[in-house]
Amino acid sequence: CRPNVLEFASHLCIMCRRVREKGEYPVLLRNSAGGVDRGFLLRIPNLADDGAAQVALAEYLSEIDSYSSFDIFALDKLCSGHALMVVAMELFARYGFMEKFSIGEDVLRAFLIEVENRYRTNPYHNVVHAADVTQGVNCFLRNSDLLEHLTSVEVFGVLLSAIVHDLGHDGVNNAFHCKTKSSLVGQYGEKAVLELYHTDTALTLMRKPEYDILANMSATDRMQVECILRSTIVDATDMTRHTDLVARFNSIFRIVDGECHAARETIAEHATLVLQMTLHCADVGNPTRPARVYERWIHRVMTEFFEQGDKERSLGLEVSKMMNRETDSPVGCQKGFIDFIIKPLFEGWCAFLRYEEPLKNLVRNRSKLETWEIKL
């Protein structure tokens, strides 16, 4: 299932030529007065004075609305580890957030640099995952009619939530923190430990003037954005709340046998629930990405899981399910994850969005999963 290098190179050349011929460069590479400073991106290593790299970047960003063509790992390599900053800056420009909410470019840049710095170098819960989730949220918004029913503040809020949703994650889960009675448990309690920490970290960061991208919002809009961060990160990215979240969504939007029977006007009425599901599905949606991307995420998530299992074993604790490198196989863990969590989730979600691509990728990946050899 690994991509053929020659085919990938050929595809890239074709797409780069298409970009040059059309002259349709992404927002960040335009010199329009209303866009983002082009020199910002060109100061990133590998991009300065490298025309080919700039064209390649234009190609990647031109696919930012595509769920299957966009490759976050390739973009991150091209941008020397700054995929989150590039994706966020591009999306903020495309959605017009800087103008709508009077966000200064210097403040946005400083905020994103600090966010990248605060993500740790875990195998999975890291800055690349944050960039991937942010792009996934954008895909759900752009490839459906959600933008017709959500306000600008709601769209801004869910994209910001994606950017910071795992801020400061230390590579172990809530159960580990509870079992070891960590300092975070002492601060936040035993429910949604990490999710409360991520949210608190992000909100505290934005209270500093040099990072405050919400500074020029009205008091009402700022309060709503902060509420969106809390409701999406805490209530939608804590997997212990998955079952209740999906049950509420399926009930309100009348998801039955993979079909959505609710009127579209219901979306605005239950916008908070829609935003929660948008972030949740982007957060856990690795199996719905193309095989070449999904396989790399399997390596990363299982490496992190097994490292937690090693820590538990060394502390004399019971090794958590799916985290025992001696008994758990990556493929076996993913099979269960798909069959019991992801497939039912995305059958309803894709029916609601009227967007089948993620589900089609999932079906293809599940049919081939048992033939994959995942060695860590």
Side-chain angles (χ1 to χ4, degrees):
C1 65
R2 299 181 189 280
N4 182 290
V5 175
L6 292 178
E7 289 181 1
F8 178 78
S10 175
H11 170 74
L12 180 59
C13 288
I14 292 171
M15 294 305 293
C16 286
R17 185 172 66 250
R18 191 176 301 163
V19 169
R20 286 195 298 268
E21 290 172 351
K22 291 183 177 180
E24 295 178 351
Y25 283 78
V27 174
L28 290 184
L29 293 182
R30 297 178 194 151
N31 281 316
S32 62
V36 176
D37 175 20
R38 183 173 184 267
F40 159 67
L41 281 184
L42 303 188
R43 288 194 293 273
I44 295 177
N46 291 357
L47 294 180
D49 302 319
D50 188 340
Q54 293 171 28
V55 170
L57 177 63
E59 148 59 11
Y60 287 127
L61 292 181
S62 71
E63 297 286 346
I64 202 168
D65 295 342
S66 172
Y67 202 74
S68 296
S69 299
F70 191 83
D71 187 333
I72 196 64
F73 295 109
L75 178 67
D76 193 60
K77 182 177 180 180
L78 181 66
C79 298
S80 302
H82 294 288
L84 178 59
M85 184 182 298
V86 171
V87 166
M89 292 287 282
E90 176 70 4
L91 292 179
F92 269 56
R94 286 191 178 209
Y95 284 95
F97 290 151
M98 300 173 77
E99 293 77 22
K100 288 176 184 176
F101 304 118
S102 301
I103 303 171
E105 186 181 331
D106 289 342
V107 175
L108 177 58
R109 185 187 303 118
F111 170 74
L112 292 172
I113 290 172
E114 187 63 18
V115 166
E116 284 194 335
N117 288 338
R118 293 197 182 205
Y119 271 99
R120 305 191 193 184
T121 55
N122 304 311
Y124 181 77
H125 289 101
N126 56 34
V127 71
V128 183
H129 169 64
D132 180 64
V133 173
T134 303
Q135 191 266 340
V137 166
N138 171 66
C139 286
F140 295 149
L141 295 172
R142 292 287 191 182
N143 292 286
S144 68
D145 64 347
L146 291 185
L147 293 176
E148 299 174 18
H149 304 281
L150 299 174
T151 68
S152 295
V153 173
E154 289 165 344
V155 173
F156 175 85
V158 73
L159 284 166
L160 180 58
S161 293
I163 291 168
V164 301
H165 80 281
D166 275 329
L167 199 58
H169 199 295
D170 58 355
V172 293
N173 63 14
N174 287 337
F176 184 89
H177 279 280
C178 292
K179 286 191 289 187
T180 59
K181 302 187 187 316
S182 72
S183 60
L184 290 183
V185 171
Q187 185 173 358
Y188 297 105
E190 294 191 350
K191 293 184 178 180
V193 185
L194 286 166
E195 291 74 23
L196 288 168
Y197 168 62
H198 303 322
T199 306
D200 190 30
T201 301
L203 292 175
T204 300
L205 181 64
M206 288 186 290
R207 292 189 185 107
K208 297 181 178 180
E210 62 269 34
Y211 306 128
D212 190 2
I213 61 174
L214 310 181
N216 295 320
M217 281 186 169
S218 68
T220 301
D221 285 351
R222 180 175 190 128
M223 184 179 298
Q224 185 178 3
V225 169
E226 292 183 353
C227 286
I228 290 171
L229 260 65
R230 292 189 183 95
S231 66
T232 53
I233 297 175
V234 176
D235 293 330
T237 66
D238 179 359
M239 283 301 295
T240 65
R241 307 188 185 197
H242 166 83
T243 301
D244 289 342
L245 175 64
V246 175
R248 281 193 294 118
F249 180 81
N250 288 347
S251 174
I252 288 174
F253 290 101
R254 299 167 57 198
I255 307 292
V256 180
D257 296 329
E259 295 185 3
C260 177
H261 299 280
R264 304 311 281 176
E265 291 74 17
T266 314
I267 295 173
E269 182 181 350
H270 297 282
T272 297
L273 180 57
V274 172
L275 298 179
Q276 290 171 339
M277 281 290 287
T278 302
L279 181 60
H280 181 50
C281 290
D283 188 29
V284 300
N286 296 334
T288 67
R289 294 288 193 169
R292 69 182 187 281
V293 175
Y294 174 38
E295 185 184 7
R296 294 189 68 171
W297 285 125
I298 294 176
H299 277 269
R300 288 176 174 241
V301 71
M302 294 309 301
T303 295
E304 188 168 301
F305 279 5
F306 286 163
E307 288 181 358
Q308 175 174 324
D310 294 343
K311 291 175 183 177
E312 290 171 333
R313 188 179 294 106
S314 70
L315 293 171
L317 302 171
E318 181 181 356
V319 178
S320 298
K321 186 178 180 181
M322 297 199 306
M323 297 185 181
N324 192 332
R325 67 172 71 249
E326 296 177 0
T327 59
D328 294 319
S329 74
V331 168
C333 291
Q334 289 297 306
K335 285 166 58 179
F337 184 53
I338 289 175
D339 294 345
F340 297 105
I341 301 293
I342 300 302
K343 187 171 183 288
L345 173 65
F346 271 84
E347 284 177 340
W349 180 240
C350 289
F352 167 75
L353 292 182
R354 301 172 179 174
Y355 177 51
E356 296 183 353
E357 188 171 348
L359 190 58
K360 288 180 178 179
N361 287 338
L362 178 67
V363 171
R364 282 192 292 266
N365 289 337
R366 181 61 181 88
S367 68
K368 298 177 182 178
L369 187 59
E370 295 184 39
T371 68
W372 293 4
E373 294 184 10
I374 309 293
K375 296 181 180 180
L376 303 181

